[in-house]
Amino acid sequence: MNTTFDVIIVGAGPAGSACALALDGKGLNVALIDKATFPRDKVCGDAIPGQSFKAMRQIKPEWELQLRAMCKQTQIFSSRLYLSPQKSFCYQWISYAANSKRFYFDDFLFRLVKDQTNTKIFQNKQVNKLSIHRDSVTCILEDGAALSASIIAGCDGNHSVVKRSCLPPQKRDTVYAAVRAYYKGVSGITARENEFHIIKEVDGYFWIFPLPDGYCNIGFGVINDKSKKSGSQKDIRQKLAQILASERFRARFENAQAEGEIKGFGLPLWTKDRRISGERFILAGDAASLVDPIQGHGIDKAIWSGVIAANQIQRCFQHDNFQSDFMTGYENEINQRFGRELRRSYCLMKFLAKNPFILKWLIYLMPPQRVINWAVKKLKI
Ligand SMILES: Cc1cc2nc3c(=O)[nH]c(=O)nc-3n(C[C@H](O)[C@H](O)[C@H](O)COP(=O)(O)OP(=O)(O)OC[C@H]3O[C@@H](n4cnc5c(N)ncnc54)[C@H](O)[C@@H]3O)c2cc1C
């Protein structure tokens, strides 16, 4: 078995698969490793932002069309924010956006890599450790096997082993602890519309996103703040039961059936600029903490950062330069694409957390729809 590659990508979620797709045809010998066997579940709201499709178009327009044609998705035309049961406002999406269970969405991307590129794939192989040498990187897998490459892309999500091995320990990132459940038969659904509800039970919002075959993805997130002693998985599961039994939602869930378990997972929110690359490594997606602090969107950032990482990797080989200084080209590009948007979301999140009465004011003032459309567009929410 070949154990030496030009590039090793750890993690075959949206970031890793996009990176492998974008490296296709660049003359590099690429390995993609994942601890899971695909298709696999990923705890998520399953709302695929429009930018995810745009990023796929950037890699290959044909792949974006294939992704849009995938049958296991529901196109979403609008999102509605309920400030109270009676007061809501709606935002119409201009670009194509969809909801799709990650079981299908991620598997589709992974299959593109498997079937349409020369990437060497390792499934069911966990990377346990890695070490960076003067002219290579070595990954040690759970079974003791060692794989090496000139550069490694850490696309291995929130608990990234690549990040932990390559960067000094950082002050704990801000993480949302979020839960997700699948329900069939929820009543009162508006077709092709995502619902966000501001409710007293949680600081953030409760979501209901329609999926194909009559399913809905429901869930909510809370800032995992140890000092408040809240945000444990047990706490948030109990809270979900409390929300569904509340007066506001009881009737809508009366005849609905849950499918599978309620699952929780963390979202590594973007909070500040930080190192996300260095000598012979690069981080993308959740491993680089690129989740939008207001919307909780991370799939689009994962795909885009996978593409941008692939561009940087190509530059490294062209210039035969894998030094930390040279990698800042990647960080600048990420900053250029997402910096303003993420900084704005972060400030807005902080502002709303400090001034929760603003949302209450909104309920009473209820600005006209055109003001809301303007604000959403301006803030790029
Ligand atoms: C409850 C919840 C709701 C969310 N809702 C939305 C939403 O509606 N829309 C949205 O855009 N985003 C949402 N997000 C965020 C989104 O899920 C992530 O931003 C996105 O999955 C990031 O993709 P990724 O490829 O970076 O990581 P992941 O999708 O986490 O993929 C990482 C991959 O790495 C593999 N891996 C991990 N460790 C190792 C290892 N040591 N060795 C080998 N393989 C490894 C894993 O098996 C996995 O396949 C939500 C997140 C949560 C938790």
Side-chain angles (χ1 to χ4, degrees):
M1 181 180 80
N2 180 19
T3 56
T4 308
F5 300 90
D6 292 320
V7 186
I8 290 177
I9 303 169
V10 185
S17 289
C19 186
L21 290 171
L23 284 172
D24 181 48
K26 304 291 188 286
L28 297 171
N29 188 9
V30 180
L32 177 64
I33 311 174
D34 202 291
K35 65 180 180 187
T37 302
F38 281 72
R40 57 102 179 92
D41 184 27
K42 160 76 180 82
V43 181
C44 186
D46 300 332
I48 317 296
Q51 280 292 332
S52 318
F53 295 91
K54 285 194 180 151
M56 286 301 287
R57 194 183 316 154
Q58 168 91 6
I59 307 175
K60 203 181 209 182
E62 193 188 316
W63 285 339
E64 188 219 355
L65 295 178
Q66 287 180 25
L67 185 62
R68 280 193 190 208
M70 181 191 59
C71 57
K72 291 286 188 185
Q73 68 187 290
T74 298
Q75 187 182 354
I76 293 301
F77 295 142
S78 55
S79 292
R80 185 172 289 276
L81 176 66
Y82 288 86
L83 297 170
S84 73
Q86 296 79 26
K87 291 186 176 173
S88 70
F89 58 78
C90 176
Y91 184 74
Q92 306 284 342
W93 293 107
I94 297 158
S95 45
Y96 185 90
N99 292 346
S100 173
K101 284 188 180 179
R102 294 286 298 276
F103 184 83
Y104 300 112
F105 181 82
D106 288 18
D107 190 49
F108 185 88
L109 296 182
F110 176 75
R111 282 202 175 273
L112 279 182
V113 181
K114 196 162 178 260
D115 300 340
Q116 302 197 28
T117 74
N118 291 324
T119 311
K120 172 78 185 155
I121 293 188
F122 297 86
Q123 293 191 76
N124 194 19
K125 298 280 180 201
Q126 178 165 320
V127 174
N128 272 1
K129 250 192 345 202
L130 60 110
S131 48
I132 302 198
H133 316 285
R134 216 173 63 85
D135 51 9
S136 67
V137 189
T138 305
C139 289
I140 309 293
L141 306 185
E142 199 177 26
D143 59 11
L147 303 179
S148 54
S150 299
I151 187 165
I152 190 160
C155 303
D156 46 346
N158 188 19
H159 304 292
S160 170
V161 70
V162 179
K163 175 163 104 178
R164 276 181 281 128
S165 310
C166 298
L167 285 173
Q170 299 180 12
K171 199 172 148 267
R172 204 171 170 282
D173 292 333
T174 304
V175 170
Y176 260 139
V179 280
R180 171 222 72 188
Y182 288 124
Y183 271 81
K184 200 168 188 172
V186 181
S187 59
I189 295 294
T190 303
R192 300 178 186 278
E193 183 165 278
N194 282 347
E195 296 175 33
F196 298 83
H197 298 265
I198 304 288
I199 52 174
K200 63 176 183 325
E201 288 85 351
V202 293
D203 298 336
Y205 51 77
F206 170 63
W207 72 74
I208 304 177
F209 296 164
L211 288 163
D213 306 325
Y215 283 101
C216 282
N217 179 318
I218 66 161
F220 67 92
V222 290
I223 292 276
N224 198 351
D225 183 347
K226 287 247 156 65
S227 63
K228 281 192 191 163
K229 292 201 168 47
S230 67
S232 78
Q233 291 299 332
K234 195 173 151 223
D235 273 357
I236 52 183
R237 280 194 181 91
Q238 278 174 355
K239 200 159 261 186
L240 185 65
Q242 197 187 328
I243 296 167
L244 300 190
S246 68
E247 207 187 319
R248 188 155 159 187
F249 293 105
R250 198 181 310 131
R252 294 188 65 186
F253 282 86
E254 208 160 35
N255 298 313
Q257 300 96 44
E259 188 214 37
E261 302 164 55
I262 299 171
K263 287 191 181 171
F265 202 73
L267 289 93
L269 301 185
W270 187 95
T271 48
K272 59 182 180 327
D273 294 323
R274 70 191 77 204
R275 283 313 307 256
I276 51 169
S277 64
E279 190 170 345
R280 295 192 182 275
F281 78 91
I282 198 157
L283 304 174
D286 278 11
S289 298
L290 292 177
V291 176
D292 182 294
I294 286 282
Q295 302 182 90
H297 280 174
I299 300 167
D300 50 345
K301 314 279 184 307
I303 299 180
W304 268 119
S305 58
V307 174
I308 298 169
N311 293 341
Q312 174 65 34
I313 290 170
Q314 225 193 320
R315 284 197 292 273
C316 289
F317 282 95
Q318 278 161 358
H319 297 267
D320 191 22
N321 188 345
F322 300 87
Q323 300 292 312
S324 188
D325 285 354
F326 190 65
M327 303 301 277
T328 52
Y330 170 66
E331 299 185 359
N332 293 339
E333 228 181 298
I334 289 283
N335 200 25
Q336 248 171 22
R337 180 164 284 276
F338 307 126
R340 265 180 71 179
E341 177 188 337
L342 288 173
R343 271 191 289 276
R344 206 161 29 197
S345 280
Y346 176 66
C347 292
L348 191 57
M349 176 192 76
K350 283 280 207 201
F351 179 70
L352 290 176
K354 275 194 190 147
N355 305 286
F357 58 88
I358 298 280
L359 280 173
K360 291 205 180 94
W361 280 3
L362 268 180
I363 295 174
Y364 291 110
L365 294 173
M366 202 53 199
Q369 183 69 49
R370 65 193 153 76
V371 175
I372 288 158
N373 287 349
W374 173 84
V376 171
K377 220 177 205 162
K378 273 275 169 226
L379 291 168
K380 267 197 166 182
I381 290 175

